[in-house]
Amino acid sequence: MTSDRAHLRPGSRAPFLSGWLLHVLMLACFILSTAGLQVQAAERRVALVIGNSAYRNAPVLSNPVRDALSVAEMFKKAGFTTVELKQDLESLELKRAIRAFLGITKDSEIAVVFFAGHGIEVNGANYIIPVDARLKTDFDAEDEGVALERIIRAVEPARRLRLIILDACRDNPFIPQMQRTVSLRGITAGLGKVEPAASDTLVAYAARAGSVADDGQTDHSPFTTALLKHLTTPGLDIRVALGRVRDDVVRDTGGKQEPFVYGSLGGSTVSLVPDKPAPAVSQADPGADGPRDYMLADRIGTRDAWNHFLRAHPTGFLADLARAQLQKLPGDPAPATATPADLAKAANKRPSAEPTPAIRMEARRHDPGKVEPEMAQVVPRSTCDRDRETLAMLRERQVAEKIAAFARDLTCEALRPQVTRLLESTGSADSAKPSLPAAAPKPAAGTPAIPVSLGTNRSAPNCEDESRALARLRAAPNLMAVETFEQNLTCKALQPQVSRLRESLHEN
């Protein structure tokens, strides 16, 4: 009993809750860190940049350190995950830097090594030279230099692209004083040909094998200048980028220096910097803002407001109502018309959107010669779908005989009330035509009177004008426009037809 009460004490639950909350937090942190590592691994691009200028046993090179600084900055701006910059490395430091970079290239997609300084070929093997090298004999190259093959092995863990760029084909001052231990051993001023054994590996030389490269008379060598211009162009394939580098160097050196690339890649595009995604184009309905803009212009009630509405919506039933509202305002009674410039501006307001059915109906009324058949390319569907399409077509044309025939042959009973009201709205149900009433009813207090007719004489009801306006409403049905029209209707003989049209739109 005592132990049960102890479990019920408020304080006894604190360790359990704390432990449970701690486990939840640890699990959440593990999931987030794992997801972050996966994203980071998928986007990892790493680079090692080395510039050796201050050679102790040879003349100092002016550009390699500046070249390395600019190339490292280029990779950082391009979004590389890791950029290691090293300058004036001795033999042991150079070997350690390459060994450390081997660990960095693991789980990377792209690995790049850039070296600017002296390079040499001895007996078919290529070496980059540290700043403390003496190279008194050809045998010393193996001890004091760093083999190109070692650099190639350091980038092998990269999964997508392994790129080595050597601006190291300069005229080598060590060769004249270097003694040959074997008379037949070959020594070349520049670097020799190389064929990388690993796939998806490229080795780019500043000059063709066996030739020398110019250190340049400006802040950068010609080779590095072209690299800074083309290498990290977003979406540009690395082979195309290096080809543009080659063209620039050949042009700038008058054909004396030609960069060369060894290795091969697959058929897919490989770029150091991914292409920027294209901006999304919003798809807007050009007629969706019409009712809202009309209500806003009506609320403001000034000539400028209506003119702005007509510039944005130059055609359609609401445009006719807006022009009628302009006639009521004091000042110039002439109806506003949109200029060709206004029409072009309105047409270009949303160029990527598909016109609404109401605008298509208005286009038929103004330019019937350019209208495609309404029922063209209609895919047969269910009975109600076919009847619904036929009903929409009949609403546009309002032929009493065809509506009556359609009502007799109707197969979708769900549409029967709408067809009946449409038939009644044409006046064919009672065979009565609208007649002129003796007097026009006054609109209700507080209700703005929106004239429908474009005529200038509003002293007496005009059933003929309102009949034409009703026909336009049937051609381009819009619930808000019908309700506004009904609210300001002065011809009582048209009231039943307008009411039935409104009810059919409610049901639709």
Side-chain angles (χ1 to χ4, degrees), residues 430-500:
D430 51 5
S431 301
K433 295 183 179 180
S435 58
L436 294 175
K442 296 182 180 180
T447 302
I450 301 180
V452 177
S453 172
L454 298 182
T456 56
N457 183 12
R458 307 296 298 168
S459 59
N462 194 336
C463 284
E464 184 178 354
D465 288 346
E466 292 184 340
S467 295
R468 287 197 295 267
L470 180 58
R472 289 197 297 271
L473 273 178
R474 290 196 184 102
N478 182 287
L479 181 58
M480 193 201 79
V482 171
E483 290 176 344
T484 303
F485 177 72
E486 183 179 20
Q487 184 179 7
N488 297 277
L489 186 66
T490 58
C491 182
K492 290 184 178 181
L494 297 177
Q495 184 65 47
Q497 301 180 41
V498 177
S499 299
R500 294 185 185 99

Side-chain angles (χ1 to χ4, degrees), residues 50-69:
I50 303 172
N52 281 355
S53 289
Y55 284 92
R56 300 172 189 172
N57 300 294
V60 174
L61 297 174
S62 58
N63 279 337
V65 168
R66 290 198 295 264
D67 292 346
L69 283 171

Side-chain angles (χ1 to χ4, degrees), residues 359-360 362-374:
I359 291 181
R360 288 198 295 268
E362 190 66 23
R364 290 190 187 97
R365 186 167 65 85
H366 288 288
D367 194 1
K370 295 183 180 180
V371 180
E372 298 178 358
E374 292 85 348

Side-chain angles (χ1 to χ4, degrees), residues 149 152 156 195-199 201:
E149 185 62 31
I152 294 176
E156 282 185 356
E195 292 298 335
S199 60
T201 303

Side-chain angles (χ1 to χ4, degrees), residues 48 50 98 112-120 126-129 146-149 151-152 163-170 191-192 194 202-208 213 221 223-224 227 242 257 259-260 262:
L48 172 63
I50 303 172
I98 295 173
V112 183
V113 175
F114 173 85
F115 175 81
H118 279 307
I120 190 173
N126 295 295
Y127 300 92
I128 60 174
I129 309 303
V146 176
L148 175 59
E149 185 62 31
I151 301 176
I152 294 176
L163 176 62
I164 299 169
I165 304 173
L166 299 179
D167 194 356
C169 306
R170 294 167 172 83
L191 296 172
V194 60
L202 297 179
V203 180
Y205 285 177
R208 184 184 289 271
S221 70
F223 184 58
T224 299
L227 289 173
L242 292 174
Q257 178 181 339
F260 210 83
Y262 298 90

Side-chain angles (χ1 to χ4, degrees), residues 28-342:
C29 292
F30 174 78
I31 293 174
L32 292 175
S33 62
T34 303
L37 288 175
Q38 290 176 350
V39 173
Q40 185 179 9
E43 300 175 349
R44 273 178 58 83
R45 293 171 292 160
V46 297
L48 172 63
V49 181
I50 303 172
N52 281 355
S53 289
Y55 284 92
R56 300 172 189 172
N57 300 294
V60 174
L61 297 174
S62 58
N63 279 337
V65 168
R66 290 198 295 264
D67 292 346
L69 283 171
S70 297
V71 170
E73 186 65 23
M74 173 186 68
F75 287 140
K76 290 178 182 178
K77 290 181 178 179
F80 272 56
T81 308
T82 303
V83 178
E84 295 288 330
L85 174 62
K86 305 292 182 180
Q87 297 175 337
D88 294 330
L89 297 183
E90 297 180 353
S91 178
L92 184 58
E93 294 172 338
L94 183 56
K95 293 174 181 177
R96 286 176 176 174
I98 295 173
R99 182 178 60 190
F101 190 64
L102 172 63
I104 296 175
T105 59
K106 293 179 180 179
D107 298 325
S108 66
E109 293 293 320
I110 296 175
V112 183
V113 175
F114 173 85
F115 175 81
H118 279 307
I120 190 173
E121 179 200 4
V122 178
N123 199 31
N126 295 295
Y127 300 92
I128 60 174
I129 309 303
V131 295
D132 61 341
R134 296 180 181 271
L135 298 181
K136 291 186 177 182
T137 67
D138 53 7
F139 191 76
D140 295 336
E142 299 179 11
D143 296 329
E144 299 178 11
V146 176
L148 175 59
E149 185 62 31
R150 180 184 179 91
I151 301 176
I152 294 176
R153 291 200 305 270
V155 298
E156 282 185 356
R159 289 187 289 265
R160 190 179 179 200
L161 173 64
R162 310 168 185 94
L163 176 62
I164 299 169
I165 304 173
L166 299 179
D167 194 356
C169 306
R170 294 167 172 83
D171 190 7
N172 200 314
F174 294 100
I175 293 179
Q177 64 186 17
M178 186 181 297
Q179 299 178 2
R180 288 175 171 84
T181 56
V182 178
S183 59
L184 299 178
R185 187 185 296 270
I187 302 175
T188 306
L191 296 172
K193 295 181 180 180
V194 60
E195 292 298 335
S199 60
D200 299 324
T201 303
L202 297 179
V203 180
Y205 285 177
R208 184 184 289 271
S211 61
V212 296
D214 187 9
D215 192 41
Q217 303 299 322
T218 60
D219 291 340
H220 300 297
S221 70
F223 184 58
T224 299
T225 300
L227 289 173
L228 296 173
K229 180 179 178 181
H230 299 293
L231 194 61
T232 56
T233 302
L236 183 64
D237 186 88
I238 185 63
R239 289 158 290 196
V240 178
L242 292 174
R244 294 181 180 178
V245 170
R246 178 258 180 204
D247 293 344
D248 284 6
V249 173
V250 171
R251 183 191 66 238
D252 295 342
T253 61
K256 297 178 181 179
Q257 178 181 339
E258 180 185 5
F260 210 83
V261 180
Y262 298 90
S264 64
L265 297 178
S268 61
T269 299
V270 181
S271 58
L272 292 185
V273 180
D275 197 5
K276 297 178 181 179
V281 180
S282 60
Q283 300 291 332
D285 184 358
D289 295 337
R292 184 193 64 186
D293 294 348
Y294 182 90
M295 295 178 64
L296 182 61
D298 183 52
R299 186 178 304 170
I300 298 173
T302 63
R303 186 173 297 276
D304 287 341
W306 289 117
N307 284 329
H308 280 298
F309 175 83
L310 288 172
R311 291 190 189 101
H313 310 278
T315 61
F317 181 72
L318 293 178
D320 292 344
L321 292 180
R323 293 186 180 93
Q325 291 287 57
L326 273 173
Q327 291 179 350
K328 295 176 56 179
L329 295 176
D332 184 12
T337 57
T339 64
D342 293 335

